[in-house]
Amino acid sequence: MDKRKNRNQIQNALNATLSGLQDDPWLAQRVITKGKRKKRMKKKYSVGLVLAIVLVLTLATTALAFFLSMQQVVEQEIVPMAQSNDVGEEINNYFSNEELYRITQLAQENDIDIPEVLLRAVEQGRSEYEEETIMALARETFGKPFAEWTIEQKHWFGEMMVAIGFRQTNDDCLPEEGEISYDQALLIAVNRIAQEYGDDVQDVSQWKIMTDYMTQSGEDGTLLQPKWYFSFVPLDVKNNGYQIILDTSGAVEQFDVSIAPDPESSAADVIRQFEEIYGQAFQWTYTIWADLGRQIAGRDPGTLKGWLFCHAGYSMPPENAISELEAREIALKAVGLEYTTVSSTSCCMVKETPIWKIETHTMFPEDKGTGEYTAIWLLEIDAVTGVIREKREFEVGTGGIAILTRVVPFDICEDESIISALSE
């Protein structure tokens, strides 16, 4: 179906029939409001005009009915495509570039948002994992990362993975007869937290709820009864975090609490809470780093890591600084490799000089699926002048203090007098 042609036909009909009327996106709201007011003199419209409007709306509804949802496109088009490229009993895990191009066409024809990662793969002539292709489409449509999907969305995705041979079984379940529902399980978890800690974890402005209903395989390979897994992730460091596991009857099998830092907590405690909320520090934005800098200022470090973070001087860039975007462009130009992206940025201090601390990742097409990067570069850029102070390639597997050079200025990590004093 040529969506644009169909839309043009509809628009032409509207233009011809309703010439002189303006498009009004707020018309429906005004009609509702108008219905609440006192009746006024009625306007009379010709039968021909009324029939024309009905015809146009019918055509528009019929045209839209031909659009498939993302899930329908995956089920009816993409999964069969993945199955057809297998050879005998051998499972092929990749979509070719031609298949990716066809997938983007299908998405466009059905008014489905196309993930940037798929567009780049098509443009660069690359293939892509079938699992990652379907995941990218689902993430774009559902609008959230996998961990935040509903149990229905996770179950659907699991079914698709079994269908293409990526998984043997679907561990993401849906409640069956005799098993408590999501609403019942959530209520049990919420009440337990409220009773013991007084927190209303259903306040979405303060907590993010992530849910799984999953089964696992026993030692003999048989599937065990599924369990409910709830994570109540705090959206502010002042809140506790909670994890609760329930069985199918609603009995609490595990209850873990991550206590929020208080005024007496160490910097290390605050850092752990930030990691609970935002994930790995190597992927934080500069605004998160600046918030951390404010939260740990003046606290006891607690650990060597806490001391290094306290002395990094994380903050928002000064008014006369180059923008983060400019710093990113300088870093990418300095690395000078294709397939390079910026992973994280922070603004920190080195001897009273504000710098942009930037990490880049380079992943060539052949690296896809290996879990490795072609290169990881660390750069420190003067936040005012834009001059690159230092650029180093980071070696994966590096441990000790050296690994913290990814987020802490080199000078601070490598000041031998400081390190030796701290280790005594």
Side-chain angles (χ1 to χ4, degrees), residues 159-292:
E159 293 294 288
M160 298 305 100
M161 294 302 98
V162 172
I164 66 174
F166 186 80
R167 298 181 190 170
Q168 291 185 336
T169 59
N170 183 6
D171 296 337
D172 291 293
C173 306
L174 295 176
E176 297 182 355
E177 187 176 353
E179 300 171 354
I180 60 171
S181 68
Y182 167 79
D183 289 336
Q184 292 171 319
L186 177 63
L187 184 61
I188 293 170
V190 166
N191 286 342
R192 174 70 177 268
I193 293 169
Q195 290 167 5
E196 295 196 21
Y197 292 91
D199 282 333
D200 177 12
V201 290
Q202 287 187 287
D203 182 349
V204 295
S205 69
Q206 299 297 319
W207 282 272
K208 178 168 55 181
I209 303 175
M210 295 188 291
T211 312
D212 288 288
Y213 191 55
M214 296 178 61
T215 184
Q216 295 181 357
S217 299
E219 294 181 359
D220 60 355
T222 58
L223 291 177
L224 303 176
Q225 283 290 309
K227 296 179 181 179
W228 288 100
Y229 298 82
F230 287 98
S231 292
F232 301 91
V233 181
L235 299 179
D236 192 293
V237 292
K238 71 177 185 294
N239 296 327
N240 297 336
Y242 303 95
Q243 296 81 39
I244 297 183
I245 301 176
L246 310 174
D247 66 15
T248 56
S249 69
V252 177
E253 293 194 350
Q254 187 172 327
F255 183 21
D256 298 316
V257 184
S258 175
I259 300 297
D262 59 32
E264 302 303 317
S265 298
S266 68
D269 294 329
V270 177
I271 293 167
R272 280 192 289 270
Q273 188 75 347
F274 266 69
E275 291 171 339
E276 171 82 10
I277 296 171
Y278 301 113
Q280 292 185 336
F282 310 121
Q283 298 177 332
W284 294 354
T285 64
Y286 75 95
T287 55
I288 294 175
W289 281 109
D291 188 25
L292 176 69

Side-chain angles (χ1 to χ4, degrees), residues 4-144:
R4 288 176 296 181
K5 181 178 179 182
N6 203 310
R7 284 176 174 171
N8 288 338
Q9 290 175 339
I10 295 171
Q11 188 59 55
N12 289 338
L14 282 168
N15 291 341
T17 308
L18 306 177
S19 58
L21 296 180
Q22 299 283 332
D23 287 339
D24 188 348
W26 299 105
L27 179 60
Q29 182 61 45
R30 281 206 294 274
V31 168
I32 294 172
T33 304
K34 190 174 180 179
K36 298 177 181 179
R37 299 174 182 168
K38 294 180 179 179
K39 292 184 179 180
R40 296 184 180 181
M41 186 179 295
K42 295 182 180 179
K43 292 185 178 180
K44 295 183 179 181
Y45 297 99
S46 70
V47 174
L49 178 58
V50 173
L51 291 176
I53 293 174
V54 171
L55 175 61
V56 169
L57 293 177
T58 302
L59 287 171
T61 303
T62 304
L64 291 173
F66 283 101
F67 289 161
L68 300 177
S69 70
M70 179 276 298
Q71 289 166 282
Q72 290 173 318
V73 169
V74 169
E75 293 167 4
Q76 299 175 23
E77 301 284 350
I78 298 177
V79 165
M81 190 185 302
Q83 293 169 335
S84 66
N85 66 26
D86 296 334
V87 181
E89 297 297 319
E90 184 178 349
I91 301 295
N92 169 42
N93 291 319
Y94 289 90
F95 282 126
S96 67
N97 190 258
E98 290 76 13
E99 288 171 325
L100 290 178
Y101 178 71
R102 176 57 185 148
I103 289 170
T104 58
Q105 279 187 316
L106 288 167
Q108 188 176 35
E109 290 168 3
N110 289 281
D111 205 25
I112 298 168
D113 290 335
I114 305 173
E116 184 66 28
V117 65
L118 295 189
L119 291 175
R120 285 202 306 267
V122 171
E123 291 170 358
Q124 295 167 2
R126 294 190 284 110
S127 60
E128 183 58 273
Y129 274 107
E130 294 171 344
E131 180 266 348
E132 291 189 12
T133 300
I134 297 173
M135 173 67 82
L137 286 166
R139 268 199 308 259
E140 194 77 19
T141 297
F142 297 153
K144 296 180 179 179

